[in-house]
Amino acid sequence: MQVPILKQGPYLIASVQAALRDADLVQLRDALTEQVGTYRTRGVIVDVTALDVLDSFACRTLSEIAGMIRLRGAQTVIVGIQPEVAFSMVQLGLKLEGVATALDLEEGLEYMNRRMKQIEQGQYE
Amino acid sequence: MSVVRKTTQRPRSQRSSTPELHELVSHLREQGSQLREEWARHITEARLLTSMSKDEIFAEARSIYDNYVDVLETGAVEALQAYARDLSERIIPRGVEIHEVVGIVLLLRDVLARSLFKKYRSNFTLFNKILDVYEPATNQIAITVAVGFVQERDRIIHQQQNAIRELSTPVLPVREGLLILPIVGIIDPQRARQFTEQLLQGIRANRAKVVVIDVTGVPSIDSAVANHLVLTVEAARLLGATTIVTGLSPEIARTLVTLGVDLSKMNTVCDLRGGIEEADRALGFRVARINDSSGWEKGR
């Protein structure tokens, strides 16, 4: 199932609607990496609010997305991880290290705006 | 436990029918006050029940004795079990221990046995018959009282454990985007899990960006709880919140380092006040004193 990717100003928002098979995750990763170039995007927000489970493959793919997007010159933030999902993840040692996270879409956009401002002002992390 | 069960199934008629039993019970009732005094004396000599006053011992001795003789007569263990639990409920908070309870019951058995011997020593056959009734009955009483005491003590311990576990960990929204989680008392794995769940739900409900977990009130942490704390910090991050841990005592700090728990990802500040100051900085708040600080005193 294809994940819809929407353009919102300088950002791309990928909103996961339902449980994803491994192939869907890979497809999402590749689509985002491609579209960052097409739209000259500065930031990607992946919204996983609808997911009840984030297994090790999903976590690895999300890390890959962040890595690839960064190489393409943009920031990634994962939003909408549910409390129960977060708890299960950390118990399994899936920490999404090095990947920015935010509570929800609103917070995610705020985070992106702050980051853009920082980068503009020359404060690189 | 199985001994007690076996004897409760014995029909009551079997107990009360023997003439020896009848004889035994009437003797014990007649000699009641004398034997109770002797028993109380033995208790004091053996230095038992030191946490109770003479009057208290005497009052309890009276009801124990009456119950004792009743059970000898009827074999109705349920009444004795109920009495044993009731007695334990009263004396456990006074610091009476199991060896004292078993001790006094056995002393009573001995005092009564001696008095029976004195009465029946001329008739050895009758004495033996009486002992045949007396011995199993008194052993059963001793066991019932001891078991009742232990059961009551276990019940109290269980109740206290539940009370500690239920000390809920409040999640306190203090400013926009800031939550404080004060933890007090000993954390067991179940409580640790509970506070993590509450924290994560709290982050979502309050849209918190910073969480301060204060452990000033925690006397000790073992490695399981420490690791759980690390997991909690990681889970909070997945919801977009940074965690600051405050109030780690020198002892806990020593324990955690010795255990080799990986705390590199954890922000820690010495005390809650410092933690809130750091949280304010992270959130972009600045606290400043306004000149007119007397508004409150003027009763406004």
Side-chain angles (χ1 to χ4, degrees), chain A residues 82 96-97 99 101 104, chain B residues 204 207 209 234 237 265:
Chain A
Q82 296 304 300
L96 274 187
E97 233 157 322
V99 182
T101 52
D104 57 17
Chain B
R204 188 172 63 165
R207 309 175 62 79
K209 298 235 214 5
E234 287 168 358
R237 189 195 77 86
K265 306 279 169 49

Side-chain angles (χ1 to χ4, degrees), chain B residues 53-69:
Chain B
S53 72
K54 270 221 159 62
D55 290 334
E56 284 170 321
I57 296 180
F58 207 75
E60 289 295 352
R62 176 95 209 220
S63 45
I64 296 177
Y65 189 93
D66 291 342
N67 266 279
Y68 200 93
V69 178

Side-chain angles (χ1 to χ4, degrees), chain A residues 17-99:
Chain A
Q17 304 295 312
L20 296 178
R21 296 168 308 158
D22 290 358
D24 298 327
L25 282 163
V26 172
Q27 200 267 340
L28 173 64
R29 181 195 69 191
D30 296 340
L32 283 172
T33 313
E34 172 106 23
Q35 292 186 26
V36 162
T38 316
Y39 297 108
R40 307 195 70 239
T41 306
R42 310 295 306 285
V44 172
I45 302 174
V46 182
D47 186 348
V48 298
T49 308
L51 292 183
D52 294 328
V53 168
L54 274 174
D55 63 13
S56 57
F57 185 81
C59 287
R60 198 165 60 240
T61 312
L62 287 175
S63 291
E64 285 173 2
I65 290 176
M68 291 180 183
I69 303 290
R70 195 179 310 126
L71 287 173
R72 300 272 278 155
Q75 301 296 313
T76 309
V77 61
I78 313 292
V79 309
I81 301 178
Q82 296 304 300
E84 300 81 17
V85 177
F87 197 30
S88 313
M89 280 170 66
V90 299
Q91 282 181 315
L92 292 170
L94 305 168
K95 300 178 243 180
L96 274 187
E97 233 157 322
V99 182

